[in-house]
Structures are given as C-alpha cells and as structure tokens.
C-alpha cells in the first residue's frame, strides 16, 4: 500500500493531490445524502456473499446483507411503507426523495407463507428511521433450513451509488450501513421535502430532554411540516414526537445528531440546535413542600393540607371512584381495530378543539391535543393492533407505558402523566362505549381523592359538590388552578390519612386556613352553613350590581378592569361587569409555537378582542416572555437567574423585528374602530429603556394613536418613578413580580408562598412611593397584580392612591363591592399605620380587625 501511494505521488505531485483531495471533500460535503441504517442486529456481509444470484449480482440494486441475531426488524430510513409482501418477509420503505429501500428477511423465506413473521406496520403507513417493522421467528426460519442472510437494497428510478459502506463484521441495529447519494436530476421529490440539514450538538438542558423541551421540539417540527430524527448511539427518536424524544432518554452533556428534512430544514436545524444547546430558560425544578409552610401541627380531630383554592364549605365525605375500563385483549381484525382507533382519536381531537384554547382550561386542553397528535404514542398503539390486540387494549397498554415514563420523572413529567391519563380515558370511552366520567357525587358533598384529573373536577363541579380534599397534588397543579377559577374550595397534600375517612362522614373544609375538620360539632356545621349561605347571597348581590360603577363612600370612582388572556376572557369580562381591560397578556399568541405570529394575525386578534370590549378601553401589554415563560422560537442561553435575565421589554428590544410587528399590530387594532387602546410595556428598569420603546412607536407613526404606559415591577422602577411618571401616560403596578423582587423571593416556589406576601410592609411602602411620585406629574396609577383582587389589599391600595384596579373576570363583581364599602380618606390614614407594621401577617390582622370592628359598628 505504501509503495502504491509513493508511485501515485510520483505521477501526481503533492500540491495537486491536496487540491484534488480538497475538491473531493467539498463535493462530498455538498452532496445530498440519504443514510440507510441496519434494520437488524447481527453480522454484516457484502451483498456478493448472499447465496442468491439475484441479490449477489445486484440485479435488484446495490446494498449489503445482515445475518440477524435478534428477531426485531426496524425501518432503515424514514418514509412510507409502499410494498409489504403478503407473507410479510419483505418490505419496501420509500423516502420522500424517491429512494426506496428493500429489506428482505432471509433467502427463499417466501416459502414459509407468512409463518414466523409478525407485521408491526401496515401498507401505506408513515415510519421514522428505526421504527419497528416486523418481528420474525429466527429459530423457525433456521429449522426449515433456509438462509437467514437478509439483503438491504437501495433502489431509485435512475439508479443510485452507495458511499461510506460499513465494514464487514458485527453491526448494531440502527447503525449506518451505507449512504446513498441523491442524483441532482431527481425531479420527482416533493417541493416541501427537498432540503435537508444535519448537525451534532451537546445537550445543555439541565434535565436532558424531558417533557417541556420535547413538546417544544415536536411542535416546532410538526407546525413547520418537517420530518426529522434525533440520534445518539443506537437510540433514534422521531423529532416530531414528544413521546419518542422522551423515551430516547437523551441526557445532559450527551452529544446527539440532529437530522431534519423538508423546506426550511436549515433554519429549523438552527433553532433545534439553539434549544438543545441552551437551557430552555429552565431553573432546577421546584418541588412542592410535602407539608404546609407553617409547621404548626393540626388541631386534634383535624388534618392539615395546603390551600389549593380558597373558601369554606361543609359536606359529607364522598370518595372518588374513577371509571373502570376492561378492554378485550383480542381484536376483531387489524383493519377494523385500526379504523376504530383512528375514529376515536379524530373524535377526541375535535372535542378538545371545541373545548377552547384560552385560560387554564385551554392550556390543559392544548396539552391533551399535543398528546393525542403524538406519532410515537399512536405508533405504539398501532403496533399492538398489528399483534392482534383490540384498539382499546393496545391504546391502554401504550398509554400506560408512556405514563410510567412520565410518572418516574420530576413534577413537570408527573403533570404530563395526569394529562395522558385524562386523554386515555376519553379515547377508551369512545372505543368501549362507556362514560368517561367517575361515579356522580351527591350535591353538597366533599370529594376525597388521592388526586383528580381536570375532567374529574369539571364533572364534580357539575354535580354541585361543596369542596374537594386531596391527599396528594399541590397548589400549583392544574386541578388546583381550575378549582380556583370555579370558586370551589380545595385542599391539597393532606396525606394518606385522608383514605381513612369514612364514606358519608360530616366534614368542614377550611381551605383558607389549610384545615380539614373531621369531626365538626353541630354548632360548627351551623356556623359554616350560615357563612356559606351569606357568601352565596352576597355573591348574587354582587353580580346584580356588577355593571354599575364602583364609587367609594367618599365619592371617588375607581374603575375595576379585567386581566385577559384571550378572546374568551374578554367575553367573560364583559359579562362580569368589567369596566374594560387593564391587562391583555399577549403571550397567549406566542407561547407553544415554533414561529412568532406575524403582524396581521396579531392585529386581527387584538381588534377582535377590542370589538368585544367596545366601547370599554383595552390595555395591551407587549410580549412578556423570558424567565418562567420561554418560547421555542427564541431559545435562550443558560441563565443562572432567569428571573433576573433577558425578559419582558428587554427581550423585545433585543429583537426589533418582533417588537415592530407587535407595535404595528397594536396600532392597527387601535385604528379599527373599537374602544380606546393603550399600550403598556413590562419590566422597565430605567428611562433609557422606556425612551427606546417610545422611539419605536414614534417611528411607526403611533404618536397620538395610543396612550403609552409602563409596568412598575422592579425596585429600580419604584425608585425612578418620578422620572418615569414624567414621561409615561400611565403606570401600572404588577404586584406579583414587584413582591418577588422587593422581597427577593421566587414567586413560583411553593416553599416561600406563605412569606412572599404582597401585603408585606416593604411592598406597601414601594407602592406608596410610586403613587406619591406619580401624583406630582398627574400620572394615573393602576394595579394589575393579584393584590388588586385581595379583599384585604383593596382598601389599602385605595388609601395609597391607586386609581384603578385590574383583576381576573371572576373577581370583578366582588372587587366593585369592596370599593363601594371603602372610604378613601379613612384608609389613607390607616394605610400609614399598616406600613409601619413588622410583617405581612401583622398587616392582615390589622386590616381584618378594622373591617370586623366597622361591620360590628354598623
């Protein structure tokens, strides 16, 4: 070999050889390649060694052969099954580019007439590389004296050339056997699939590819109409499948290969690489405390839990009994069962679509739709059907397998397990003709359970139960958030003792105090009944007066506006009597998308919401992402403190095109003929940021079209309130983030929930400083955080000088009543006393005692 090379150099001088080598490598790098993977684990042979002239002489096309050592045959490429011999010994998969790959298991195995071969796919089915195709009985084939040598052949209309052939020897399932160069003159490739891109990247995600980044990747690929694969070693996952990505168990610091096919593949590849190489704006997952933050033991005869949804209620214990499904294992034929599964998935997808897309319920339904569309979950079920199982049995088995994967992860994955359980119940109910709902509970009862699915809670709410108590779950779970929206008292994390409560036992749920009374006295039950009746009566009166202005006792009108997250919320706000919208969170248009909405889509949405609210005003907040609200199309790098990083206005200024599209949409909506439109920007820290935003609005012709305001959420904005109020048309205090930053307590950490209280004297003093500085410039101040709807916080805010309040639609009526019961002059003095107290608990006791004394005095 050395001698040959020396002779070669004597003919071709080294510089020319190097130039030739470089040109060849450039051509190699620029070529369009399709990698063909080994469909089996075994021993790799040159095709010439196959004991059949048709294969050995490449009559059918070039390729290689595998002598298998295990029974599973997987797809060598991604594509569609275009040929599947009736005896299931041979299968052809066609790639979107037109290349076809034949996998022929054994030689002369057609004589077995299907014996020993179990199909795992069907003709016409789409498959990803390394998806299971066939399971074969190697012992049976060998016992019949037939060769196990299995040719893998590549075929194209104009012929193909193979490159990078793997060496003869042991080969792993999924390893690359050879690469096929795609001829430049192939003209029958679909336009949408003629671009491909690939790269390697080390995963920097702190928790590897778990549910949230997996869902973002899958959604990105599906929305773009692309196909792709993620691989590491012998593990391969369909990039368009959340489940497949999670089952791949791709870990932090692991180097993976990303391959994407389709129009826009290069741009998509860049986004995928950025996401995998960043941290997806993640912090280490918080774990909800297993006991309330207060360490005080529960009084005798009571159980302590964590408040999930506030309220006081009494009722008899009713233990949750979920529906029970027993699907038959054997199906009625592959075609029949596949059709049944497809029909059930289609019906459930329509149901989920009709359930809405906004608010917490909309987010839950979106999660369910994501799972219903997951190709890996469906593939697992279809593989079971191909093995003779019924659609219901195959679906239940597949969902149980994936749910176990979710349940073994962190709290975020456990939430996905609950979503999957809810979805699976819907699918099974369609397949088996059973109701998906649990046993009905008597009206007025207290439902006890380890946990509830969102659909369970909705069912019990329709039954008219008085409260819910859970031994598990957490205050941040979907079920707790939905209960709060329904006004249903709910306790979480009570513990296993809850299971010992007798059916029908009288109970009192005090979700405000975090206590479940197991043996309430007759007097206590009477007290709770009277309190509940009084609350219902007062709520009815509040609703009747909700459309009237909220005027304090001393004649000050305080508009009560609504915080909105979409069109559905706007309709609810109008029905609830809101005086307008004090905060439209535009994130609902951006989250869970692979690309940002364009100006036209945003303008249409904002205008539609404005039409619903008209003639009431609408305040649109520019995009507030980053921190705990990442978006797939803007993957961020690693941030040690995401809450202190690139978020809010900082993100908009860092992406001028994104900002201009949103500002243009807001200006178009303001000119659409609806009510007055205001523009508000989040997370302002200094006057320079504000001036950059105003300059962008002026450049787009927005001067005089909309009023411009900003949110006060940072200590910097509080201390610079005099400068900001002099330039802005209005200020709006976001008490959720302001509390977090003033107290240096993460507002998403359940362990700090009891301490991160917006009624902390420090937070009240900050609000007072903003109001005082704004008053000198006649700049109105609103509050749009949770404190605006707190019955104890409302009088204090009015006393501090806040001019309007913005709350969730369900709190509009009650907030207006509290405003009407408040005397601003009186509370302007009382709030100064409150600001002098030592902690939020003392402030709450102070306000409660004053309100109680006033009620007694009346």
């Amino acid at each position: 070999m050395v001698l040959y090379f020396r002779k070669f150099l004597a003919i071709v001088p080294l510089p020319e050889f190097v130039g030739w080598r470089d040109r060849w490598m450039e051509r190699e790098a620029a070529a369009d390649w399709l990698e063909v993977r080994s469909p089996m684990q075994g021993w790799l042979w040159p095709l010439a060694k196959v004991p059949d002239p048709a294969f050995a002489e490449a009559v059918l096309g070039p390729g290689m052969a595998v002598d298998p050592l295990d029974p599973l045959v997987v797809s060598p490429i991604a594509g569609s099954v275009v040929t599947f011999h009736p005896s299931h010994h041979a299968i052809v998969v066609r790639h979107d580019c037109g290349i076809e790959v034949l996998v022929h298991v054994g030689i002369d195995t057609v004589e077995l007439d299907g014996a020993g071969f179990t199909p795992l796919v069907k003709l016409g089915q789409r498959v990803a590389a390394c998806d299971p195709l066939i399971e074969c009985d190697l012992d049976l084939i060998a016992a019949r004296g037939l060769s196990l040598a299995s040719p893998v052949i590549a075929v194209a209309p104009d012929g193909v050339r193979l490159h990078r052939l793997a060496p003869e020897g042991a080969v792993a399932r999924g390893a690359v056997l050879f690469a096929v160069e795609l001829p430049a003159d192939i003209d029958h490739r679909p336009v949408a699939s003629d671009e491909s891109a690939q790269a390697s990247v080390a995963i920097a995600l702190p928790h590897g590819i778990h549910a949230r980044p997996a869902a973002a990747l899958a959604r990105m690929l599906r929305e773009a109409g692309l196909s792709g694969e993620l691989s590491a070693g012998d593990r391969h996952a369909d990039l368009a499948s959340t489940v497949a990505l999670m089952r791949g168990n791709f870990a932090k610091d692991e180097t993976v290969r990303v391959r994407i096919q389709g129009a826009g593949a290069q741009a998509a590849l860049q986004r995928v690489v950025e996401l995998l190489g960043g941290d997806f704006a993640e912090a280490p997952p918080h774990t909800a405390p297993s006991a309330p933050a207060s360490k005080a033991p529960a009084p005798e005869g009571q159980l302590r839990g964590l408040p999930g949804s506030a309220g006081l209620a009494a009722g008899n214990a009713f233990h949750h009994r979920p529906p029970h499904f027993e699907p038959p294992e054997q199906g009625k034929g592959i075609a029949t069962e596949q059709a049944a599964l497809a029909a059930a998935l289609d019906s459930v997808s329509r149901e989920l679509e009709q359930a809405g897309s906004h608010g917490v319920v909309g987010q839950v339904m979106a999660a369910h739709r994501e799972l219903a569309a997951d190709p890996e979950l469906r593939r697992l079920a279809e593989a079971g059907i191909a093995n003779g199982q019924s659609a219901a049995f195959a679906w239940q088995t597949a969902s149980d397998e994936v749910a176990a994967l979710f349940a073994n992860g962190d709290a975020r994955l456990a939430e996905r397990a609950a979503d999957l359980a809810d979805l699976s119940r819907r699918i099974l109910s369609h397949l088996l003709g059973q109701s998906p709902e649990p046993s009905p509970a008597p009206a007025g009862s207290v439902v006890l359970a380890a946990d509830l699915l969102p659909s369970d809670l909705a069912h019990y709410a329709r039954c008219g139960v008085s409260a819910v108590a859970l031994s598990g779950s957490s205050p941040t779970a979907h079920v707790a958030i939905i209960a709060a929206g329904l006004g249903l008292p709910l306790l979480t994390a009570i513990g296993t003792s809850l299971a010992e409560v007798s059916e029908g036992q009288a109970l009192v749920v005090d979700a405000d105090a975090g206590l479940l009374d197991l043996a309430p006295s007759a007097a206590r039950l009477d007290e709770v009944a009277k309190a509940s009746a009084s609350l219902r009566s007062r709520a009815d009166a509040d609703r009747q007066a909700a459309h009237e202005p909220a005027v304090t006792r001393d004649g000050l009108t305080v508009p009560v506006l609504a915080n909105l997250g979409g069109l559905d919320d706007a309709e609810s706000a109008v029905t609830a009597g809101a005086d307008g919208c004090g905060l439209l969170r535009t994130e609902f248009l951006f989250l869970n998308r692979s690309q940002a909405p364009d100006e036209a889509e945003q303008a249409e949405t904002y205008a539609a919401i404005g039409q619903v609210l008209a003639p009431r005003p609408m305040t649109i907040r520019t995009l507030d992402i980053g921190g705990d609200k990442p978006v797939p199309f803007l993957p961020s790098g690693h941030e040690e403190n995401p809450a202190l990083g690139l978020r809010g206005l900082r993100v908009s200024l860092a992406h001028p095109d994104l900002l201009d599209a949103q500002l243009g949409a807001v200006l178009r909506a303001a000119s659409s003929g609806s009510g007055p439109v205001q523009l508000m920007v989040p997370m302002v820290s200094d006057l320079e940021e504000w001036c950059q935003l105003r300059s962008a609005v002026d450049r787009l012709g927005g001067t005089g079209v909309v009023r411009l305001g900003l949110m006060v959420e940072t200590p910097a904005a509080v201390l610079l309130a005099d400068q900001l109020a002099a330039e802005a048309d209005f200020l709006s205090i976001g008490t959720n983030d302001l509390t977090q930053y003033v107290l240096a307590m993460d507002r998403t950490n359940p362990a700090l929930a009891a301490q991160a209280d917006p009624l902390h004297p420090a937070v009240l003093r900050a609000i007072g400083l903003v109001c005082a500085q704004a008053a000198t410039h006649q700049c109105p101040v609103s509050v749009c955080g949770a404190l605006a709807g707190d019955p104890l916080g409302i009088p204090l805010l009015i006393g501090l000088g806040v001019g309007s309040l913005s709350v969730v639609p369900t709190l509009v009526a009650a907030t207006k009543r509290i405003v009407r019961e408040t005397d601003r002059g009186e509370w302007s003095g009382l709030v100064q006393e409150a600001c002098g107290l030592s902690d939020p608990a003392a402030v709450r006791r102070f306000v409660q005692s004053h309100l109680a004394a006033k009620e007694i005095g009346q």
Side-chain angles (χ1 to χ4, degrees):
M1 182 66 186
V2 174
L3 180 62
Y4 178 86
F5 187 64
R6 285 176 179 169
K7 290 181 178 179
F8 174 80
L9 289 182
I11 300 172
V12 182
L14 184 59
E16 292 185 20
F17 166 71
V18 172
W20 170 83
R21 180 206 63 189
D22 290 344
R23 287 193 299 274
W24 182 87
M25 292 180 69
E26 288 174 2
R27 178 179 178 277
E28 178 86 358
D32 213 358
W33 302 97
L34 174 63
E35 291 185 335
V36 177
R37 300 182 174 279
S38 177
M40 294 169 278
Q41 178 182 345
W43 193 267
L44 185 61
W45 292 357
L47 201 59
K49 290 187 177 182
V50 174
D52 184 302
F55 290 115
E57 297 173 11
V59 174
L60 299 177
M64 303 188 79
V66 180
D67 193 357
L69 296 176
D70 74 297
L72 183 63
V73 180
V74 302
S75 181
I77 59 172
S80 301
V81 177
V82 294
T83 302
F84 203 175
H85 196 280
S87 64
H88 301 130
H89 73 290
I91 189 167
V92 177
V93 180
R94 177 186 293 157
H95 191 269
D96 290 341
C97 69
I99 299 292
E100 296 180 352
V101 178
L102 163 68
V103 179
H104 193 287
V105 183
I107 301 300
D108 293 331
T109 43
V110 67
E111 299 174 4
L112 296 176
D113 197 25
F117 294 95
T118 302
L120 303 180
V121 292
K122 61 181 179 179
L123 190 64
Q125 182 174 328
R126 293 282 298 178
V127 293
C130 299
D131 271 1
L133 299 178
I134 310 166
E135 190 169 340
C136 51
D137 187 338
L138 300 181
D139 293 336
L140 175 63
I141 298 172
R144 296 287 183 93
L146 302 174
S147 171
L148 288 170
S150 301
V152 182
I153 306 295
V155 185
D158 299 321
V160 296
R161 292 191 301 136
L162 305 188
H163 297 267
R164 307 203 308 269
L165 275 70
E168 182 176 353
V171 64
R173 185 191 305 117
V176 176
L177 295 184
F178 51 80
V180 180
E181 182 179 351
L182 307 182
D185 58 353
I186 286 183
D187 58 5
H188 53 271
R189 298 186 215 171
V191 174
S193 301
D194 62 355
E195 183 182 344
S196 63
Q198 55 185 311
S200 294
V201 59
I203 297 174
L205 303 172
H207 317 294
I209 301 182
H210 62 81
R212 201 151 55 93
L217 287 167
R219 188 181 303 111
M220 185 189 304
L221 265 287
R222 288 203 298 272
E223 288 183 356
L226 299 169
S227 60
E229 179 186 74
L230 198 69
S231 61
D234 62 352
R235 286 170 293 138
H236 305 270
D238 183 353
L239 261 175
S241 168
T242 302
V243 173
L245 288 167
M246 292 182 59
R247 294 177 78 231
N249 195 29
F250 299 104
K252 184 181 186 298
D253 297 329
E254 185 173 16
T255 297
V256 295
R257 188 74 176 169
V258 184
R259 296 178 178 83
I260 297 180
Q261 180 79 29
Q266 190 62 52
L269 176 70
Q270 182 178 351
R271 293 198 300 272
V272 171
V273 168
E274 288 175 350
L275 189 150
L276 294 176
D279 68 351
F280 203 60
E282 291 185 317
H286 293 308
T287 301
S290 58
S294 170
K295 295 184 179 180
E300 186 177 354
Q302 300 187 32
L303 297 176
R304 188 176 293 280
L306 291 171
S309 172
L312 176 69
N316 295 331
F318 175 84
H319 284 276
H320 167 60
R321 291 183 283 275
H324 181 63
F325 298 102
E326 289 188 3
E329 182 171 355
Q330 294 301 312
K332 299 178 181 178
I334 293 176
T336 299
E337 299 298 335
Q338 286 176 337
L341 178 61
L345 286 168
D346 184 59
S347 296
V348 169
S349 294
R350 287 198 302 270
E351 290 174 5
L352 296 172
E353 193 69 40
Q354 294 166 1
S357 58
H358 303 309
V360 176
V361 174
Q363 294 170 14
V364 174
M365 295 302 102
H368 292 183
R369 286 197 301 274
E370 189 74 30
L371 287 168
D374 192 283
E376 179 74 0
L377 185 57
R378 183 166 183 166
R379 187 195 63 76
L380 289 171
E382 289 179 338
I385 291 174
N387 282 331
Q389 296 173 356
S390 71
F393 188 90
W395 176 263
Q396 187 176 63
T397 302
S399 59
D400 285 349
E401 177 184 339
V402 176
L405 172 71
F406 290 155
N408 289 332
D410 60 21
R412 286 173 294 217
L413 296 191
E415 194 69 66
R416 296 287 282 184
D419 289 334
L420 180 55
D422 217 340
L423 171 68
S424 293
R425 186 185 294 177
R426 289 175 181 266
I427 299 293
L428 289 172
S429 71
H430 276 273
L431 290 170
L432 298 174
Q434 294 179 221
S435 170
E437 296 180 339
S439 301
S445 58
V446 175
V447 176
L448 310 181
D451 200 355
L452 290 179
L453 301 176
S455 60
D456 294 332
L457 185 68
H459 164 73
Y460 288 127
R462 291 191 296 271
C463 291
V465 301
S466 64
V468 175
L470 304 176
S471 60
S473 194
S474 76
T476 59
H478 282 156
V479 70
I481 298 169
I482 295 173
L486 295 172
L488 189 65
L490 182 143
L491 276 177
T492 69
I494 294 173
T496 56
S497 299
L498 191 66
E500 300 172 8
V501 176
S502 301
E503 186 83 4
Q505 181 176 333
L507 303 171
V508 167
V509 175
D510 187 346
D512 298 316
L515 292 170
L516 176 67
D517 193 340
L518 302 176
S521 64
R524 173 63 169 157
L525 290 172
D526 185 58
E527 174 189 337
V528 171
K530 290 179 180 178
S532 298
S534 177
L535 288 173
R536 287 193 297 270
S537 177
R538 188 169 67 183
D540 290 340
D542 289 348
R543 283 191 291 270
Q544 292 175 12
H547 293 273
E548 300 299 322
V551 183
T552 64
R553 288 183 173 179
D554 50 348
L556 176 71
T557 298
V558 179
V560 177
L561 311 161
N563 299 332
L564 308 180
L567 187 61
D568 294 347
D569 288 348
E571 295 168 350
S572 299
V574 170
T575 301
D579 297 319
C581 166
L583 167 62
L584 175 60
R585 299 183 178 92
T586 58
E587 295 77 55
F588 75 94
L589 274 171
F590 292 80
L591 298 175
N592 301 321
R593 296 180 62 144
S594 60
Q595 293 182 327
D598 60 20
E599 179 178 322
E601 180 184 351
Q602 293 185 62
E604 181 181 359
T605 303
Y606 302 151
I609 294 172
Q611 290 294 337
V612 171
L613 292 169
R616 304 166 187 82
M618 174 173 62
T619 302
I620 301 176
R621 183 178 69 184
T622 58
L623 188 59
D624 186 15
I625 57 174
D628 61 339
K629 289 176 286 189
V631 292
F633 59 84
L634 287 180
S636 62
H638 176 72
E639 290 184 301
E640 291 295 339
N641 295 295
L644 305 180
L646 196 64
R647 57 170 303 196
L649 178 59
R650 301 167 193 169
V651 173
S652 296
L653 294 176
H655 299 276
D657 293 345
L658 197 66
L659 176 60
D660 284 356
Q662 184 160 43
L663 294 180
V666 172
L667 297 178
R668 286 167 63 175
S671 304
S672 66
S674 60
V677 174
Q678 299 186 142
L679 179 68
M680 180 168 70
V681 292
M683 291 299 295
V684 176
S685 294
D686 57 45
L687 192 59
E688 174 59 25
E689 290 179 335
W690 167 252
C691 290
Q692 290 182 56
L693 184 281
R694 182 178 281 280
S695 295
V697 174
D698 292 343
R699 175 169 46 81
L700 295 173
T703 305
V705 178
V706 294
R707 297 177 73 240
L708 295 179
L710 59 90
M711 293 191 70
V712 177
E713 301 168 279
T714 66
V718 172
L719 297 175
L720 297 177
D722 56 335
Q723 297 179 9
L724 298 172
E727 298 292 332
D729 294 325
F730 65 93
L731 303 180
S732 182
I733 300 175
T735 56
N736 298 350
D737 269 318
L738 182 62
T739 301
Q740 170 175 250
Y741 294 128
V742 167
L743 301 181
M745 292 183 182
D746 183 355
R747 65 187 178 92
T748 67
N749 188 340
L752 298 174
Q755 297 167 267
D757 191 329
L759 284 183
H760 194 289
V763 179
L764 294 178
R765 291 187 186 192
I767 296 171
L769 179 60
V770 173
C771 291
Q773 296 292 339
T776 63
H777 298 282
Q778 290 78 51
C779 180
V781 177
S782 177
V783 169
C784 60
L787 188 57
D790 188 329
L792 302 182
I794 294 169
L796 294 174
L797 293 176
I798 292 175
L800 287 168
V802 171
S804 62
L805 304 168
S806 192
V807 300
V808 297
T810 54
L811 293 180
V812 166
T815 301
K816 284 192 170 185
R817 171 181 49 79
I818 296 170
V819 170
R820 297 185 188 110
E821 295 172 349
T822 301
D823 185 301
R824 180 174 186 174
E826 177 186 9
W827 280 95
S828 62
L830 291 171
V831 73
Q832 300 308 316
E833 293 184 51
C835 287
L837 297 173
S838 60
D839 55 61
V843 172
R844 290 189 177 276
R845 288 194 298 270
F846 172 81
V847 177
Q848 286 171 334
S849 63
H850 185 82
L851 293 176
K854 195 170 188 65
E855 187 173 340
I856 293 172
Q858 294 173 348

